[in-house]
Amino acid sequence: MLRYIAPVFSVLLIALPLRAAARVSSFALDNGMEVVVIEDHRAPVVVHMVWYRAGSADEPPGASGVAHFLEHLLFKGTQNMAPGELSATVARNGGSDNAFTSYDYTAYYQRVAADRLPLMMQMEADRMVNLQLSETDVATERDVIIEERNQRVENDPSSLFREQKNAALYLNHRYGVPVIGWRHEMVALDQAKARAFYDRYYAPNNAILIVAGDVRPQEVRELAQKYYGPLPANPDLPPRIRPQEPPQTAERRLVFRDARVAQPYVSRAYLAPERDSGAQETAAALTILAEILGGGTTSVMAEKLQFDSQTAVYTGAFYGGGSLDQTSFDLVVVPAPGVSLQQAEDAMDQVLAEFLKTGVDADQLARIKMQVKAAEIYDRDNVERLANRYGRALTQGLSIADVQAWPQVLQAVTADDVMAAAQRVLDRRQSVTGWLMTEEATQ
């Protein structure tokens, strides 16, 4: 979510020269692999990324966490590289590498000097089709991901709470299953499950190559054809069809108690439409709505709950529009000392009801649009961020044209658009309200 940008920042934008938008080109290889080139010649570096249209929401039932598990296993050996050799080679060449898994994608990247791009393509193409797994590798990495869950989820009450709330929000969709996986299914992950996911989804016709930095499109085309072009497409790649949500007609509530909770809070998630290709207007309105309600110290909830009534010490609103399927619109209120969770929730609902009656303040809308525009302009100076933006969009059903049109779609949002989106989404019947509290608390 965009954070508050001081008014002086928008004044400086007028005085500073602005760099033109990065040049973006694309093409496809004969085996179906998509390639996107983002040119930025200010420094002799390049970001090389391979994105797969396969994330945790594409996992088969009973194998939660296998997408993330496989991400770890890809740093093991291939027919041509020893375990750990890829990362060691990147480091030896002065670069950095990593990978990440989400609901809709898994991505692998390296950031290196531009003249090392051929080597990166050679190694990444190799592990797309030549992964070698030993039972020792599988057992070791299974222990690693279980320990990762221990550290990031089991030892964090907020993470456990969010996991339960998310599971309650989605009645049928795989977005209700944590990306890292349920622990009881993670311990059963094995070589066969990892190999099946790899064989099904890791193929050039299910991948997007993004190269950003000091490169030319023709150079990338020649290298991509050399290293990725010979890889065979998967003729049995399944269509990307997931279980969808039924109409939601019943509000859900949960209370999560944990002795380790230091700061209780109220959180609500509404089922919300995702950002769709060629029809981004509703997502844009919800993006602006999140900023209006809880995007910073001048937001509606902050002014009403933190400053006017001093009911809360923190408020926020978040919209995750980047999603292949239905997503969520979230609110959070951290009550001030002496304020119960019920009082905090009641105050939040009162603010929402007043907003739905009074509508959008014109000055606030104009200010938020300027903040959005400022963030967009300065994002252009980070080539890795640009590569991530295109990778996420293309694996979540959007197009290059959608990414490039998004800033204009945001600027075109009207007060009526925001209110229509609010009326559509802020429906308690399609929401989950949760309280995170200590075991001793009764509020």
Side-chain angles (χ1 to χ4, degrees):
M1 183 185 72
L2 296 171
R3 294 299 181 187
Y4 176 68
I5 301 173
V8 67
F9 186 55
S10 61
V11 175
L12 289 173
L13 285 176
I14 300 173
L16 292 173
L18 302 177
R19 188 171 67 86
R23 287 176 290 182
V24 180
S25 56
S26 64
F27 55 90
L29 302 181
D30 291 342
N31 58 14
M33 188 175 197
E34 295 182 38
V35 184
V36 177
V37 182
I38 305 171
E39 293 183 72
D40 185 333
H41 301 288
R42 293 174 300 163
V45 297
V46 65
V47 176
H48 171 263
M49 310 187 79
V50 172
W51 296 71
Y52 293 95
R53 293 185 181 89
S56 67
D58 300 294
E59 297 166 340
S64 65
V66 70
H68 174 247
F69 183 41
L70 181 60
E71 175 213 308
H72 277 245
L73 291 172
L74 249 72
F75 289 88
K76 299 302 180 180
T78 71
Q79 295 175 4
N80 305 300
M81 291 187 292
E85 182 178 342
L86 187 149
S87 293
T89 302
V90 173
R92 190 167 58 248
N93 281 272
S96 60
D97 75 315
N98 214 326
F100 45 90
T101 304
S102 188
Y103 289 110
D104 298 318
Y105 54 75
T106 309
Y108 303 83
Y109 73 90
Q110 302 87 33
R111 183 182 178 92
V112 293
D115 63 356
R116 302 300 194 271
L117 179 59
L119 179 59
M120 299 303 106
M121 286 199 186
Q122 178 185 348
M123 293 191 298
E124 197 65 77
D126 182 37
R127 68 173 171 178
M128 183 181 289
V129 294
N130 292 322
L131 180 64
Q132 297 289 296
L133 297 177
S134 69
E135 291 295 345
T136 300
D137 292 336
V138 170
T140 299
E141 289 308 313
R142 185 172 55 234
D143 290 342
V144 168
I145 62 169
I146 290 172
E147 180 57 28
E148 185 177 339
R149 180 180 169 89
N150 288 339
Q151 293 179 1
R152 296 187 178 185
V153 182
E154 305 293 349
N155 291 330
D156 181 4
S158 290
S159 294
L160 289 168
F161 169 62
R162 286 192 299 270
E163 194 174 76
Q164 293 292 314
K165 183 163 65 73
N166 208 40
L169 179 64
Y170 290 99
L171 303 176
N172 196 46
H173 198 283
R174 291 286 297 183
Y175 288 164
V177 178
V179 172
I180 199 168
W182 298 117
R183 185 185 181 92
H184 69 284
E185 293 183 348
M186 294 170 67
V187 298
L189 292 176
D190 56 21
Q191 183 174 147
K193 291 175 182 177
R195 173 62 66 175
F197 198 82
Y198 177 77
D199 290 343
R200 170 171 286 202
Y201 292 114
Y202 279 57
N205 53 324
N206 198 42
I208 301 163
L209 169 65
I210 298 182
V211 180
D214 190 21
V215 291
R216 303 285 182 185
Q218 184 58 34
E219 171 195 4
V220 174
R221 181 187 291 271
E222 293 171 358
L223 290 172
Q225 288 175 337
K226 177 179 179 180
Y227 292 107
Y228 292 105
L231 304 183
N234 178 8
D236 299 320
L237 183 68
R240 208 169 190 192
I241 300 174
R242 290 125 162 222
Q244 296 298 298
E245 282 299 295
Q248 294 196 358
T249 57
E251 175 185 2
R252 281 135 287 160
R253 302 186 62 85
L254 63 90
V255 175
F256 190 92
R257 294 183 174 89
D258 194 303
R260 298 168 295 179
V261 172
Q263 178 61 72
Y265 63 83
V266 178
S267 177
R268 180 177 297 154
Y270 299 87
L271 196 67
E274 73 281 2
R275 183 177 157 198
D276 290 327
S277 181
Q280 303 184 90
E281 290 78 11
T282 298
L286 289 171
T287 300
I288 299 296
L289 175 64
E291 294 300 313
I292 291 172
L293 290 179
T297 56
T298 61
S299 67
V300 171
M301 291 205 304
E303 288 186 350
K304 299 289 186 181
L305 300 180
Q306 293 177 235
F307 302 116
D308 292 351
S309 68
Q310 297 186 352
T311 302
V313 295
Y314 172 79
T315 59
F318 312 89
Y319 169 63
S323 177
L324 184 63
D325 298 313
Q326 281 181 297
T327 183
S328 65
F329 189 97
D330 297 79
L331 304 172
V332 62
V333 176
V334 179
V339 177
S340 70
L341 292 175
Q342 185 63 64
Q343 290 170 328
E345 182 182 340
D346 292 343
M348 178 183 74
D349 284 332
Q350 183 178 352
V351 169
L352 294 177
E354 291 175 355
F355 173 75
L356 290 173
K357 288 181 180 178
T358 59
V360 176
D361 177 83
D363 291 339
Q364 185 187 23
L365 179 59
R367 182 172 62 250
I368 287 172
K369 285 187 177 183
M370 179 60 74
Q371 293 170 4
V372 169
K373 187 174 184 179
E376 168 67 25
I377 290 170
Y378 279 86
D379 270 355
R380 298 175 191 170
D381 284 329
N382 189 316
V383 68
E384 189 169 330
R385 193 174 298 164
L386 279 175
N388 272 277
R389 181 186 302 178
Y390 280 93
R392 288 194 305 270
L394 294 175
T395 52
Q396 293 173 327
L398 300 175
S399 67
I400 291 175
D402 292 323
V403 176
Q404 295 175 339
W406 181 242
Q408 290 73 40
V409 176
L410 286 169
Q411 294 303 313
V413 170
T414 66
D416 288 342
D417 295 333
V418 173
M419 295 311 298
Q423 293 285 355
R424 175 179 176 180
V425 169
L426 301 180
D427 181 349
R428 294 278 289 272
R429 294 171 299 179
Q430 54 186 16
S431 75
V432 177
T433 304
W435 290 5
L436 175 66
M437 59 198 302
T438 63
E439 289 181 339
E440 298 79 14
T442 59
Q443 50 186 337

